[in-house]
Amino acid sequence: MRKHLVFLLLIVLPLLAQQAQAPVEITAEPHHHLVVDNKVVRAFAFSVNPGDATLMHKHGHDYISVFIGDSQATNTKEGAAPAPVAFKDGDVRFAPAGLVHAVADTGSTPVRNATIELLGTTTNAKACSESCAVAIPCDSADKSKCTSANKAFASDQWTVTMVTIPAGGKYPEHTHAGPFLNVALADADVTIKPQKGAETKLHSKAGDIIWNEPTTHAVTNTGSTAAKVAVIDFK
């Protein structure tokens, strides 16, 4: 009983202190590390270890979160009590501008995500609930090598698609008409063959955030495990 009480105090007391703390800008919150900064997005690699918590901080823009790995936490909005929340690997969440909160890791694994602030207007944002599968051609006799993709979230300005390329599989040539952001959900080795230009090799690690310009290309998984990535396409 005493151990349980001590554990609760270790979680609750820092959160009470955060409630009294003036919120900081996201750029001053030490668990958010700026990776991409351009006219479309500010993307942060976010990570909180078990037993640790962020400062109370504010999001001045609409943002998308793409979670890497399973985790448990409490989310404490300014002026409210801590609320428990669980995240699954590949979860995609959307939050409108103005959120002020703190996050504490109450589980045994880090809370990790890509926090993608949207610097433009967002309208009609909603999670995909029907007809979410994306048709991708596959000429492999072994259907386990076929690439799969599912829309996770979309708005009038962007779409989030979860793509899985099996080991040895290929994502046939396809076009990104606008710029796009990749968030790696697993370590992967791929080769990328643009419609014009030389093939390149890419090694990515889970949590990597990569900005890309419009292109037409094909992607082949040359590694021994599935390549899993969230692709945010901007219109």
Side-chain angles (χ1 to χ4, degrees), residues 43-185:
F44 300 82
F46 171 76
S47 182
V48 179
N49 288 325
D52 195 7
T54 70
L55 300 176
M56 186 68 68
H57 61 281
K58 51 188 173 183
H59 295 267
H61 301 278
D62 298 341
Y63 71 97
I64 304 164
S65 297
V66 179
F67 286 85
I68 299 99
D70 298 348
S71 59
Q72 292 182 317
T74 56
N75 182 37
T76 306
K77 295 182 180 179
E78 187 176 40
V85 61
F87 304 108
K88 291 293 185 182
D89 185 46
D91 276 356
V92 178
R93 308 288 176 96
F94 172 80
L99 176 64
V100 179
H101 71 156
V103 177
D105 188 328
T106 56
S108 58
T109 57
V111 179
R112 297 180 65 199
N113 72 36
T115 298
I116 304 157
E117 289 199 325
L118 306 160
L119 305 186
T121 301
T122 297
T123 52
N124 297 320
K126 59 183 179 180
C128 187
S129 58
E130 57 184 24
S131 301
C132 300
V134 178
I136 298 176
C138 180
D139 57 9
S140 174
D142 182 358
K143 297 308 177 185
S144 68
K145 299 293 185 183
C146 295
T147 293
S148 62
N150 289 278
K151 292 180 182 178
F153 227 103
S155 76
D156 295 331
Q157 294 78 24
W158 44 263
T159 301
V160 183
T161 304
M162 314 305 290
V163 178
T164 300
I165 309 175
K170 182 176 182 179
Y171 192 168
E173 190 172 276
H174 57 283
T175 297
H176 296 272
F180 61 104
L181 192 74
N182 284 351
V183 179
L185 300 177

Side-chain angles (χ1 to χ4, degrees), residues 38-40 174-181 192 194-196 211-217 232-235:
N38 57 38
K39 65 181 182 180
V40 181
H174 57 283
T175 297
H176 296 272
F180 61 104
L181 192 74
I192 302 170
Q195 190 177 64
K196 298 179 180 179
W211 179 259
N212 306 273
E213 295 301 327
T215 188
T216 296
H217 65 181
I232 301 95
D233 282 289
F234 296 91
K235 298 177 184 177

Side-chain angles (χ1 to χ4, degrees), residues 199-214:
E199 184 176 79
T200 60
K201 295 182 179 180
L202 174 67
H203 173 72
S204 57
K205 300 186 76 65
D208 282 356
I209 304 169
I210 303 173
W211 179 259
N212 306 273
E213 295 301 327

